[in-house]
Structures are given as C-alpha cells and as structure tokens.
Amino acid sequence: MTSSLAVEIIDPDLADKAATLADRLVEERLASRISEQDPTLWGPDAEAEAAIRLAWTALPRTSRALVADVAALAAELRAEGVDRVVLAGMGGSSLAPEVLARTAGKALTVLDTTDPAQVADALAGDLERTVLVVSSKSGTTVETDSHRRIFEAAFRAAGVDAASRIVVVTDPGSPLEVKATEAGYRRVYTADPNVGGRYSALSAFGLVPAGLAGVDIGELLDQASEAATVLATDKPRNPALRLAAAWGAAHASGAEKLVLADTGSGITGFGDWAEQLIAESTGKEGTGLLPVVVEGPQAAGFADAGPDATRVSIGPATDETAISVTGPLGAQFLLWEYATAAVGRLLGIDPFNQPDVEAAKKAARALLDNPETDTGSARPSTVDGEVEVYAAPGVLTAGAGTLTEALRTLVAAAPHDGYLSIHAYLNRIDDASAELLRGELARNTGLQTTFGWGPRFLHSTGQYHKGGAQNGVFLQITGGHDEDAQVPGRPYTLGSLQLAQALGDGHVLIERGRPLVRVHLTDRLAGLAQLMRAVQELPH
C-alpha cells in the first residue's frame, strides 16, 4: 500500500465495528469487483444504472490523453493573450475544478450561481483575456446555459469573436455538443458518458478547466494511478474499504452525519467536493450519510459533535478525530469515490442515481413558465427591519413577531438528532459573510448545521434533503437586487431565475412536510448583519 494514502480509525469502538464490516467487504471481493465495473453489486434495482456509471474507476488511465491536449490548447490561448479562465458549471462540473485550482493556487473564476451581481462581477473582468469553459454533462443545465448566453452576448458587445473564446465540456450527443458544433466554438471535449457527474473529478469535467487554469493535471493523474491499484485490492487495509466500513458502522450505530473538517491536508475546499459525492450518492430511500462541512477542527459541530455524528479529519488526526484521511489530492478523489460506492452497498442503496434532484428543478421551471403562481410577492409572515420572513404553513406561531422569534420557532421544530440546513441564494463573493451563520447557528442551537449556496447546493445536498433522513429544518435566505440581467433568448432574468429556484425548492420541501422559513433581505448588507444579531440572541 502506498504510504501517502491512509485512512486511520482513531475511535477504538468504531475501529472494532469497522473491522468486521471491512472483512465482509473483502470476502465479497467488493473492491476488485468495483474496479472491474461489476454492476450487480448494488442489487437488481440498481443494476441498470450501475451498468452505465462505473467508468470512473478507469479514469486515471483513460484521461491520460487529455494532459497533452489541454496543455496545447492552453498554450494556444496564451499565445493569443488569453489567460483568464471562467468556468460555467454546476455540481460535479464545478466543484472538482475549483478544488484543483484553489489547491494549486491558480486563478479560476467559477460561475455556479444565478445571482446577477456575481455574474456581473465575472463579466467585469477583462473579456479580451477571457476564455469561457461551458461545462454540462446533460447539456441542458439551466444555470450554465444562461451563463453561456450572457457571455456570448458580452463577447460580441466587446468586439471579441465569441466562438473563439468558448470551450465546451459535455457528454457525446448532448444538446450542448450540437449547439457548440453549429456555432463553431473553439473546442468541444466530450467526456465518457458512463461517468456520473459527481464521480467526474478525473474526467474532462475536472481536468479541462483546471488544466487551462494552469493546474498540473498530469501529476494529479499520476497520484490517482498510484492509488488505483491499492484501492482495487481486496484486503482489510485497503483505505477505501476501511473508510466505507467506518462510515457504515457509524451509521448503523445511529450516526448518520459525517462532520468534515480540514486539519492541515494542504487541499483547499475538499469538503465541498466530498459533500456532493456523499450526500447525493447516499441520501435516498429515507437513509444516507449527511456531510456537515465545518470551518476547522475547533468549529461548532466538530469538537462538540454528539452521538448522531462522526468526526472525519481531512488531514492529520486531532484529539477529537474519529476518522483521519490523508493523501495527495488525485489519490483522495479516487479513494472517496470508491468508499462512497462501497458504503452504498452497506446501506442497501444505489449510489449512482439521484431520484429527488429533479423535483426542485421542475418546480422552478413551473414558476418561470407560470409567473402568476410565483409566491415570492406574497405577504410575509412578519417584517423585522430589513428582513421579511416567509414561513411554511404551521411553522411559525402567532407570537413569532420578530426575526429572532421566527428562528427560535424553526429550531424548535427540529426533531431529536435532527439538523438545520441554511440555503443562501446570495452572492458567494460579496455576501460571503453569510457563511458565518453556520457556526453561529450550530453553536447557539446545538444542532448539526449545514450551509449551502443556492442554487449550487441543489446539485449537491439537495438530493439528501428530500431523499435522506427526514429530520431536517430549513432556513432559506434570499435578497433584493440593485441590478438584474436579462438572459438573452429567454423570457426571464437571472434574478427571477434565482428566486424561482429558491421558491421551487422550498415548495418541494414543504410538500414533503419539512419545516421551512425563508428570510428575504431587502438590504443585503444590513439584512445579513441583522440576521447575525438574531442568531446570536437565540440562546437567551
């Protein structure tokens, strides 16, 4: 086993239980059968999906040709004075490239938002030096299509040949491939269609934008290749089997949450990538593992985690760590993918489908198509300063007349060992202070608390919210816009799309009986400050 990739189970009781499960997985030849792309591992109901979703195991080898190809394209662009890379992509099309670029210290502007101001900021960069990577497996992702249309118009307005500045990554035969070919875009990369989005870090979806940004993707594949042999081995010390067994043992003991903290791994933002992989793969049929990404080992929810959560260090173990995972980034991508597929077998679910993701998309599309049904203009339950409060029926009591009282009522609706999930449909750059709410709410409520930027999380933890354990309560945050942007060729603006996505997801959660409160910030800066003060008043 390579010494650079390791999973250590620090908690002795968990280690004993995990050892039993790991032995079972070894006897079933699970690791080698995954590497052989055996679709029968997850039962007959999952076999059809698994049969077209296991090519990720071969990516360390099959993606090798991309190294020279992407390097050549990057050199061409640089020779033309194009050295600014903007990535339009959602979920699996954006999370891995962002981790790669941030870890390598390379500049990559990631657009996984429908916030008009954040898109405007990306447009305000030097378009003469910009290449746009449009990345969508289906080729129909509404956010990504909107970004493509907006940038194409902006290039033309700036006197830049738009087709020469757009690179596409998609599946063969997708509507985006057809459009790109017709429009004569600079380059079209078609990825292996037998790789699901959240398992695509080592495919063209991860490597093309990262490579154009200057990341050494050859080194990344070297790391993954070295790990691949170990991860396909049916031995108890296989790191993937150990990790899956530890997760499975913890889940069987009532700890359905995994609290992920970076403890000096040298990898930036890995938890956000792992969050999608685990939540979307396992959160279904009323079960699953809920990742809770925290700010560090001293953050609320990690050091003080209760019996419903398992503390996982990405990096060296701390005094509180239950499981520690170390290794280089390329190896870790593959390790966590193997472990997630393996724990799917232990949980008895299909780790490759996402049956509940489409529900929120359909609801958002319905609101865009029928704006008269838009409840965003409905009267708020209460108005407190710069914050309007909207609540699902029956969530707020008659006395919840202030923002603090509304939050207190929402928190009280959480069941024992439940969780609180914050969904911020705001600007991930300018409104970054919203992320501070996670730690404050976790500290002041005692609940495991997750944070997601909308609509980005809809392509990630959104599956778990509907399909996983139904013990969550939800706080949506929306905000007013100083300026909006029309999406060319579409009958909606970015602002209306953003609100429709929030309301659509809220409708689905409410239909499934989950307590939800939406707070709308009429003034974002003042509203966020007021929201933080209300959170800090909760314990009193």
Side-chain angles (χ1 to χ4, degrees):
M1 182 177 70
T2 174
S3 59
S4 61
L5 184 63
V7 170
E8 297 301 328
I9 306 172
I10 313 301
D11 182 290
D13 181 57
L14 182 60
D16 288 342
K17 294 175 180 176
T20 300
L21 283 182
D23 287 342
R24 171 185 146 190
L25 297 178
V26 169
E27 291 174 6
E28 295 172 348
R29 294 187 51 250
L30 183 69
S32 61
R33 289 169 68 190
I34 291 175
S35 71
E36 293 161 4
Q37 302 183 26
D38 180 352
T40 68
L41 287 168
W42 299 274
D45 291 343
E47 187 170 345
E49 183 77 21
I52 57 170
R53 288 291 177 262
L54 283 163
W56 55 269
T57 60
L59 287 174
R61 171 176 50 83
T62 58
S63 289
R64 183 63 61 175
L66 286 170
V67 177
D69 192 297
V70 173
L73 177 57
E76 284 179 18
L77 291 166
R78 286 195 300 272
E80 298 170 15
V82 179
D83 58 2
R84 175 177 180 256
V85 183
V86 177
L87 170 61
M90 301 297 297
S93 297
S94 65
L95 292 166
E98 184 167 60
V99 173
L100 286 165
R102 292 178 66 193
T103 299
K106 303 298 182 181
L108 176 66
T109 299
V110 176
L111 279 183
D112 53 3
T113 181
T114 44
D115 188 82
Q118 191 174 336
V119 174
D121 285 345
L123 286 169
D126 189 349
L127 291 179
E128 294 282 349
R129 298 174 37 242
T130 299
V131 60
L132 176 71
V133 181
V134 181
S135 187
S136 169
K137 180 176 174 63
S138 68
T140 60
T141 309
V142 65
E143 301 94 335
T144 304
D145 179 66
S146 298
H147 300 149
R148 178 188 64 80
R149 291 169 179 271
I150 289 170
F151 263 80
E152 197 166 31
F155 279 134
R156 292 195 186 107
V160 175
D161 177 20
S164 71
R165 298 301 184 83
I166 299 178
V167 173
V168 163
V169 185
T170 190
D171 272 6
S174 77
L176 179 56
E177 185 194 16
V178 173
K179 171 63 180 176
T181 302
E182 292 174 349
Y185 290 163
R186 179 65 172 259
R187 188 64 186 274
V188 179
Y189 289 93
T190 52
D192 190 328
N194 291 337
V195 176
R198 57 189 177 273
Y199 291 82
S200 66
L202 300 173
S203 77
F205 287 104
L207 301 183
V208 170
L212 291 179
V215 175
D216 187 343
I217 59 176
E219 181 183 22
L220 185 83
L221 290 175
D222 289 343
Q223 296 165 355
S225 295
E226 182 182 359
T229 301
V230 175
L231 298 174
T233 303
D234 296 310
K235 293 183 178 179
R237 292 294 299 178
N238 178 330
L241 297 186
R242 286 174 57 78
L243 188 56
W247 290 348
H251 186 274
S253 299
E256 85 277 11
K257 306 176 187 74
L258 298 175
V259 189
L260 308 179
D262 190 280
T263 54
S265 68
I267 301 171
T268 305
F270 188 82
D272 291 337
W273 174 83
E275 178 182 51
Q276 183 203 17
L277 175 70
I278 298 167
E280 200 168 55
S281 296
T282 70
K284 57 202 70 170
E285 299 180 28
T287 189
L289 295 162
L290 176 66
V292 180
V293 181
V294 303
E295 302 77 19
Q298 301 307 313
F302 191 83
D304 57 348
D308 62 328
T310 303
R311 298 179 292 268
V312 181
S313 292
I314 303 167
T318 69
D319 291 342
E320 295 81 16
T321 300
I323 306 169
S324 168
V325 186
T326 55
L329 180 51
Q332 290 235 37
F333 277 143
L334 202 60
L335 163 63
W336 288 67
E337 288 167 352
Y338 263 90
T340 300
V343 81
R345 181 173 172 89
L346 294 176
L347 297 179
I349 51 90
D350 177 355
F352 305 112
N353 69 350
Q354 49 280 333
D356 300 291
V357 166
E358 190 62 25
K361 296 180 184 178
K362 288 181 178 178
R365 284 195 295 267
L367 288 170
L368 288 174
D369 293 340
N370 302 283
E372 66 274 8
T373 64
D374 183 350
T375 59
S377 58
R379 293 186 62 183
S381 303
T382 188
V383 177
D384 187 350
E386 302 296 336
V387 181
E388 299 172 346
V389 180
Y390 299 82
V395 172
L396 298 186
T397 62
T402 67
L403 178 57
T404 301
E405 290 165 349
L407 294 176
R408 189 171 287 130
T409 303
L410 176 66
V411 169
H416 178 67
D417 289 343
Y419 68 96
L420 170 62
S421 190
I422 309 166
H423 304 161
Y425 290 83
L426 300 171
N427 184 326
R428 190 153 70 98
I429 309 303
D430 293 348
D431 301 324
S433 63
E435 289 186 288
L436 299 174
L437 292 167
R438 193 218 67 82
E440 287 295 314
L441 276 165
R443 185 176 300 107
N444 293 335
T445 67
L447 292 171
Q448 285 294 342
T449 303
T450 68
F451 181 95
W453 291 104
R456 158 175 156 150
F457 80 89
L458 294 175
H459 300 257
S460 176
T461 51
Q463 166 62 40
Y464 186 97
H465 299 153
K466 291 93 172 176
Q470 295 300 287
N471 58 355
V473 297
F474 299 90
L475 174 65
Q476 285 188 338
I477 309 172
T478 57
H481 302 289
D482 293 331
E483 296 182 8
D484 205 347
Q486 182 68 42
V487 179
R490 289 290 183 260
Y492 49 79
T493 65
L494 284 178
S496 61
L497 174 58
Q498 185 182 44
L499 182 59
Q501 290 174 313
L503 296 176
D505 191 50
H507 289 172
V508 175
L509 290 168
I510 292 167
E511 286 172 357
R512 301 194 181 194
R514 302 318 311 148
L516 180 144
V517 167
R518 177 169 70 92
V519 295
H520 183 77
L521 315 178
T522 53
D523 178 299
R524 292 197 183 191
L525 184 62
L528 281 172
Q530 185 181 340
L531 184 54
M532 178 62 78
R533 289 194 297 271
V535 168
Q536 292 170 341
E537 291 171 0
L538 283 177
H540 304 298

